[in-house]
Amino acid sequence: MKLTDSDQDLVAEVEELSGENLYACFQCGKCSASCPFTDEMDELPNQLIRRVQIGDRRILQSKTPWVCASCLSCEVECPKGNDIPAIMEAVREITLRSNVDETDLRDLDTRGLPEIALVSNFRKKTG
Ligand code: SF4
Ligand code: SF4
């Protein structure tokens, strides 16, 4: 399957943010078998990785990265030593960045807010 530029952008973004080689994953499924939170996920961890491998941006709507608790069970079981929580974190960051709404603060009277509120909103919105 040939990846488009947009597909390849997603692969490159996730690899850069996570520091992982996505194509090291060969879909054995051990990560998903060891994950204690799959009941709450709409994509199993190995399915999420597969979608990222093919550059499927619909993954940015998935609940799975937000359910992941970074418990590391999957990483311990992965025969390739993939840092799956880092991949989940990268997908979360890309999702947040793609949803940045610059009007959030522009329309708000921020004079009475503590600085920390502004800093945390900025972090949340920019990943
Ligand atoms: S355990 Fe590792 S190699 Fe197997 S599917 Fe999960 S990430 Fe891929
Ligand atoms: S780190 Fe995330 S994906 Fe991996 S086992 Fe824990 S909850 Fe599941």
Side-chain angles (χ1 to χ4, degrees):
M1 186 172 124
K2 194 169 184 315
L3 297 187
T4 66
D5 287 349
S6 172
D7 299 338
Q8 283 172 337
D9 284 351
L10 179 64
V11 175
E13 278 176 83
V14 173
E15 287 192 332
E16 185 183 348
L17 287 168
S18 67
E20 292 298 292
N21 172 11
L22 288 169
Y23 297 109
C25 169
F26 62 106
Q27 292 293 306
C28 69
K30 285 193 172 183
C31 49
S32 300
S34 68
C35 177
F37 298 105
T38 52
D39 283 353
E40 307 302 323
M41 294 175 171
D42 52 6
E43 307 260 1
L44 296 173
N46 70 296
Q47 291 172 328
L48 179 135
I49 291 170
R50 182 63 191 137
R51 277 177 174 275
V52 180
Q53 284 175 330
I54 62 173
D56 185 349
R57 286 191 172 269
R58 286 175 298 179
I59 202 62
L60 301 181
Q61 270 110 50
S62 172
K63 279 169 54 181
T64 294
W66 304 97
V67 171
C68 171
S70 301
C71 70
L72 305 180
S73 299
C74 51
E75 190 177 341
V76 169
E77 293 298 326
C78 176
K80 292 290 193 171
N82 289 334
D83 187 344
I84 298 145
I87 294 171
M88 298 284 184
E89 173 67 15
V91 174
R92 286 196 297 269
E93 281 192 41
I94 294 166
T95 303
L96 286 172
R97 289 177 187 181
S98 65
N99 288 337
V100 168
D101 180 357
E102 294 170 352
T103 63
D104 271 11
L105 286 177
R106 196 183 308 147
D107 296 338
L108 185 69
D109 182 356
T110 56
R111 283 171 294 187
L113 293 176
E115 282 180 18
I116 189 66
L118 301 177
V119 172
S120 30
N121 184 283
F122 177 77
R123 286 196 177 136
K124 181 179 167 197
K125 295 296 184 182
T126 59

